[in-house]
Amino acid sequence: MASALKVWIFFGITFVTCVGTPTTIYDALQPLGCGQFLAILNNCSYEVKQQYRETRRWTVFAPNDTAFNNLPPSRRSALLRMTTAESERFIKSFTLNKELLTSYFRESEPEQSLSTYTSLIFLTKRVRRGGDTASGLIGPTEYYANGAMLLKPNIQAGSSIIHIVDRVLEVPADKTILGYISQQGQADQPDTAYYTQILSRIVGENYDMTVQPLNNNQLRMTVFIPTQDALARIPADKMQILLSNPEKMNKVARQHVIKNEVLYTSFLYHNEGHNAMGEGQIIFRKNMAREAVFVNSGGVTAQIVRGNITCTNGAVHFIDTLLEYVYNTARDEIDITPQTQQFEDLLSQTRTDVEKIFVNPLGVTVFVPINDAFVNLPSFYNLYNNQSLINRVVELSLLEQGTRYPVTTVNGDYAARRTLVSQYYRRPVIIYSQGNETWVESGYVKARVVRPDIAVTNGFVHFIDAVPGAPSRDVPNTIFCEDWLM
């Protein structure tokens, strides 16, 4: 039977203890709702299980059962099928050989885990804003370990401390960032000359990144690594231009690194910016509907496709686009992107003068409906056989020629709106931010911006989920999908 919890506060430090309290970590896990973490512990050797049954001054970061149940079935099954050695590494990677209350968290110094692989736990404290953010009111304080939020911190289990966290973390790497991305078997391991050259600039020793485990005086950082697929999409001639220009290479590389901070997407705000090693900032954008996180740096937006990987000198996030380097026109970007081929078909049928705008160096901003947007169109449009409708859709997707507009400059609530004009008879295009979403209204159609601020040589491309000028909802569906109309 689960024990009741009791909270004690002494000198500002909060302790949580159990009534009829277990005196060991092992005995406390099941009553605290960490049964699946306990199952992994039970898969360890007898000696390791005994250590967690003894009275020790340890600290454990344990995900609860809800965190395990939220995992994809394949990942959860793999965790529960780990070998004894893998189970022991998992458990020890989130155990400290000391008592550590949240009041003693030091962000400047990561904690060494019990794992024999010298893995680290990076601790973060975030003081949230309460009420109106602009008012500066102080909200709750949240604590994180390698990006996992402590749901129930400072639980006393005899002489030990248990912190219950909200997610199941990957075992931290026992290598530096450079060592991790270069290791054999790594999915994004470099196997081409240009990939190796670029990554050696981004995470090479030129930037004081050591290949040895860190001590407390060495550099920590957050690094964004373009995947092989991201670099393979760059045309060979454009890649050669980059590789042959050391000054440009250094500038590109520096826009992928945040020094002296270890950042995880879980605790970052939408539109939160941090200084890049190069010029300007790396800005995080969160798309709540798609549960996606983007980063913008040097005018380029990339999606994090695999993130929050802990190494011995910081965190790694794999991204789907090389930051800083812009090499496509708007037309090139649409042509090479699989998700925009339906719109590309329209471009090939529109008027020549309109098609030329997409390569015009004077400037262009285009809202490109993704393929799924066309699937939702009613059949009566007969879009590809209706030349006037094709021209209207394409022109309503364009801001007036000469306009270069990044939509993420529009921040705030519904009232934070910008009204611009389209290429189609200067009809209005309204852009606004609502929550963590950016919306555009053109041709009486409201569309969500699913990927903003794709920088091109002559402006910006934004991917949207509806077709301007071609409504796909009838009146009942429109009412149903709009909260304020309900």
Side-chain angles (χ1 to χ4, degrees):
M1 183 175 65
S3 301
L5 297 180
K6 183 175 289 187
V7 178
W8 305 85
I9 302 177
F10 295 103
F11 304 106
I13 301 175
T14 302
F15 299 86
V16 181
T17 62
C18 297
V19 178
T21 309
T23 58
T24 69
I25 296 168
Y26 187 95
D27 293 334
L29 289 172
Q30 187 71 50
L32 290 172
C34 301
Q36 295 188 63
F37 186 78
L38 178 61
I40 295 175
L41 176 56
N42 280 327
N43 195 41
C44 296
S45 66
Y46 174 79
E47 296 153 322
V48 170
K49 283 188 288 189
Q50 278 301 108
Q51 289 176 336
Y52 286 80
R53 284 189 172 110
E54 296 168 359
T55 301
R56 291 176 179 267
R57 306 182 85 81
W58 282 0
T59 299
V60 173
F61 299 88
N64 59 17
D65 290 340
T66 301
F68 276 94
N69 293 335
N70 287 336
L71 290 174
S74 57
R75 169 99 196 280
R76 185 169 67 249
S77 178
L79 285 171
L80 297 176
R81 291 199 317 267
M82 288 190 295
T83 65
T84 297
E86 290 170 338
S87 297
E88 290 179 2
R89 182 175 181 182
F90 181 88
I91 293 292
K92 288 185 175 183
S93 291
F94 305 112
T95 304
L96 306 180
N97 189 21
K98 63 191 295 186
E99 286 183 274
L100 187 67
L101 296 164
T102 53
S103 54
Y104 295 104
F105 276 20
R106 294 175 298 177
E107 296 191 53
S108 60
E109 296 181 23
E111 296 290 340
Q112 175 77 54
S113 76
L114 272 185
S115 171
T116 57
Y117 294 90
T118 65
S119 62
L120 299 177
I121 297 178
F122 290 92
L123 305 172
T124 308
K125 180 174 74 171
R126 298 282 288 200
V127 179
R128 297 299 185 184
R129 299 290 183 182
D132 181 4
T133 302
S135 70
L137 297 176
I138 300 299
T141 299
E142 296 173 350
Y143 298 91
Y144 294 83
N146 287 358
M149 187 173 75
L150 277 57
L151 293 174
K152 295 180 181 177
N154 304 327
I155 297 173
Q156 199 82 36
S159 299
S160 295
I161 299 294
I162 298 176
H163 303 293
I164 298 179
V165 297
D166 70 341
R167 67 194 62 199
V168 181
L169 294 166
E170 290 189 30
V171 172
D174 58 338
K175 297 176 173 61
T176 62
I177 294 168
L178 179 59
Y180 176 79
I181 64 173
S182 303
Q183 67 186 352
Q184 292 296 321
Q186 174 55 246
D188 291 290
Q189 179 186 356
D191 62 359
T192 60
Y194 63 76
Y195 192 90
T196 304
Q197 287 185 59
I198 289 176
L199 293 192
S200 66
R201 298 277 182 144
I202 295 175
V203 296
E205 292 183 56
N206 291 337
Y207 296 136
D208 302 320
M209 294 189 70
T210 175
V211 294
Q212 300 299 322
L214 283 178
N215 61 42
N216 288 337
N217 297 320
Q218 291 174 312
L219 186 65
R220 293 178 183 84
M221 57 186 60
T222 302
V223 179
F224 302 90
I225 303 296
T227 63
Q228 279 185 264
D229 287 343
L231 295 176
R233 286 198 302 271
I234 302 176
D237 59 329
K238 304 292 176 61
M239 179 60 75
Q240 192 54 46
I241 291 172
L242 177 62
L243 295 178
S244 62
N245 187 337
E247 184 178 350
K248 178 64 174 176
M249 279 276 286
N250 283 336
K251 184 177 181 182
V252 168
R254 287 173 174 270
Q255 292 303 127
H256 290 75
V257 182
I258 297 172
K259 288 177 61 175
N260 302 320
E261 294 187 272
V262 181
L263 301 174
Y264 297 89
T265 58
S266 54
F267 57 69
L268 294 165
Y269 288 109
H270 176 59
N271 285 331
E272 183 171 334
H274 292 261
N275 291 332
M277 183 177 283
E279 300 174 357
Q281 289 193 316
I282 295 176
I283 301 173
F284 293 82
R285 320 282 196 193
K286 292 191 172 184
N287 186 312
M288 302 302 290
R290 296 176 54 205
E291 297 183 347
V293 180
F294 299 87
V295 287
N296 181 281
S297 178
V300 177
T301 297
Q303 183 175 351
I304 296 176
V305 294
R306 183 178 167 223
N308 304 313
I309 300 163
T310 302
C311 296
T312 58
N313 56 346
V316 176
H317 305 278
F318 285 100
I319 54 177
D320 67 354
T321 305
L322 181 68
L323 299 173
E324 176 67 30
Y325 187 41
V326 179
Y327 52 88
N328 282 330
T329 65
R331 181 60 191 266
D332 293 336
E333 188 68 33
I334 294 166
D335 286 349
I336 68 171
T337 305
Q339 293 88 351
T340 59
Q341 291 311 292
Q342 297 266 40
F343 188 77
E344 197 277 333
D345 290 343
L346 293 188
L347 284 185
S348 65
Q349 297 182 57
T350 194
R351 298 196 320 269
T352 303
D353 63 307
V354 175
E355 190 176 5
K356 287 182 178 178
I357 296 174
F358 288 79
V359 295
N360 194 318
L362 292 177
V364 63
T365 298
V366 56
F367 297 91
V368 180
I370 58 175
N371 296 339
D372 288 347
F374 291 91
V375 173
N376 296 325
L377 290 181
S379 59
F380 61 75
Y381 281 121
N382 196 18
L383 178 59
Y384 294 98
N385 295 315
N386 187 334
Q387 188 61 51
S388 63
L389 182 57
I390 289 173
N391 294 338
R392 185 176 71 182
V393 166
V394 172
E395 290 187 75
L396 283 170
S397 301
L398 281 166
L399 293 185
E400 187 177 34
Q401 187 172 186
T403 306
R404 299 170 183 251
Y405 197 84
V407 299
T408 45
T409 58
V410 182
N411 295 323
D413 56 18
Y414 187 87
R417 303 160 67 89
R418 299 292 183 275
T419 301
L420 304 170
V421 294
S422 72
Q423 188 65 27
Y424 185 74
Y425 297 110
R426 294 180 57 82
R427 294 286 179 84
V429 176
I430 303 170
I431 304 166
Y432 58 93
S433 178
Q434 193 169 13
N436 282 352
E437 302 286 354
T438 303
W439 302 85
V440 57
E441 294 181 8
S442 180
Y444 304 106
V445 171
K446 175 182 177 180
R448 177 187 287 112
V449 180
V450 296
R451 176 139 190 181
D453 295 359
I454 302 169
V456 291
T457 56
N458 57 337
F460 289 95
V461 172
H462 314 286
F463 294 164
I464 59 176
D465 68 356
V467 181
S472 58
R473 293 177 184 161
D474 57 17
V475 172
N477 276 322
T478 300
I479 294 173
F480 178 78
C481 293
E482 295 287 351
D483 290 342
W484 67 279
L485 290 175
M486 292 291 285

